[in-house]
Amino acid sequence: IVIGTKSFAYTAAGNRPGGYSMSQPGEKQSCSSKRGMIYVDGVGVVYPSPDGIMVCRGSAAKLPNATETIFTKEQWEALDPTSMIAVAYDGILFFWFTGTTPDRGYALDMKPGGFGLVTLSHHVTAVHTDPLTDKLYVVLDVNSEPTLVDLPLASTAVAAGQLLIYEFNSAAGSGNMVAQWKGRLNL
């Protein structure tokens, strides 16, 4: 069991309620948002801290910071980790923040050879994975999908802010959401 507190993360292990032993796996890294703590297959329990997304793999000597090389401390703090909502779906961590302009969401693939970090064009207020059907459901409150005329596909995204539950990546959906990616100029 991983327990996030306002000062440390603790692990508890045992096989009966009276026989659990607690340990503190590393440095002082508080859990900033209970809605942001989630188990990711192949990675461990992840949670937002004031310094980044921490990964707890049992009683490790040090908690690794999964976003240390992605966000500076200032960038991470600007996202407001206390507002983080997270879900794991198909081995990928999806997480959203409020308070930034606009509210943001990201997908983070932490597997070796994974795609890394991708900015999402939507923000959610609620999220749920159904383990029986392997489906992800979201309630959108912001959809900032690009609608530029020079993009190869027209927007097929649903309207946000209607308090409707949508299935993410639905086979019965009307199409894909359009995304715009900007990279550096290669000469």
Side-chain angles (χ1 to χ4, degrees):
I1 298 172
V2 178
I3 304 158
T5 71
K6 293 181 180 180
S7 58
F8 288 93
Y10 295 92
T11 58
N15 56 9
R16 58 182 174 32
Y20 272 80
S21 62
M22 302 256 307
S23 67
Q24 184 181 11
E27 60 198 54
K28 189 174 185 174
Q29 287 294 338
S30 66
C31 179
S32 298
S33 170
K34 63 183 174 182
R35 292 182 71 194
M37 181 180 268
I38 192 79
Y39 175 77
V40 180
D41 287 338
V43 176
V45 175
V46 301
Y47 66 91
S49 80
D51 294 327
I53 294 179
M54 306 310 290
V55 179
C56 187
R57 296 180 188 106
S59 58
K62 181 178 190 292
L63 295 175
N65 183 337
T67 54
E68 186 173 39
T69 60
I70 299 171
F71 297 104
T72 65
K73 184 155 177 66
E74 294 77 22
Q75 290 170 327
W76 181 257
E77 288 173 351
L79 293 175
D80 186 13
T82 63
S83 69
M84 184 172 152
I85 301 170
V87 68
Y89 180 65
D90 286 344
I92 298 168
L93 175 66
F94 291 86
F95 57 101
W96 296 268
F97 295 93
T98 59
T100 59
T101 305
D103 292 345
R104 296 199 176 194
Y106 296 96
L108 178 60
D109 188 348
M110 295 180 271
K111 295 184 292 282
F115 59 74
L117 185 78
V118 172
T119 303
L120 301 174
S121 62
H122 63 279
H123 184 268
V124 304
T125 56
V127 63
H128 171 73
T129 54
D130 184 345
L132 295 175
T133 62
D134 190 32
K135 295 187 178 182
L136 172 64
Y137 298 97
V138 298
V139 176
L140 296 173
D141 68 334
V142 174
N143 181 5
S144 55
E145 180 182 0
T147 56
L148 302 172
V149 293
D150 50 345
L151 290 175
L153 297 172
S155 175
T156 59
V158 295
Q162 299 178 9
L163 295 180
L164 298 174
I165 299 172
Y166 295 101
E167 181 184 337
F168 182 83
N169 203 23
S170 171
S174 60
N176 297 321
M177 291 179 75
V178 176
Q180 180 180 17
W181 181 78
K182 291 182 183 180
R184 64 182 179 94
L185 179 61
N186 292 309
L187 300 174

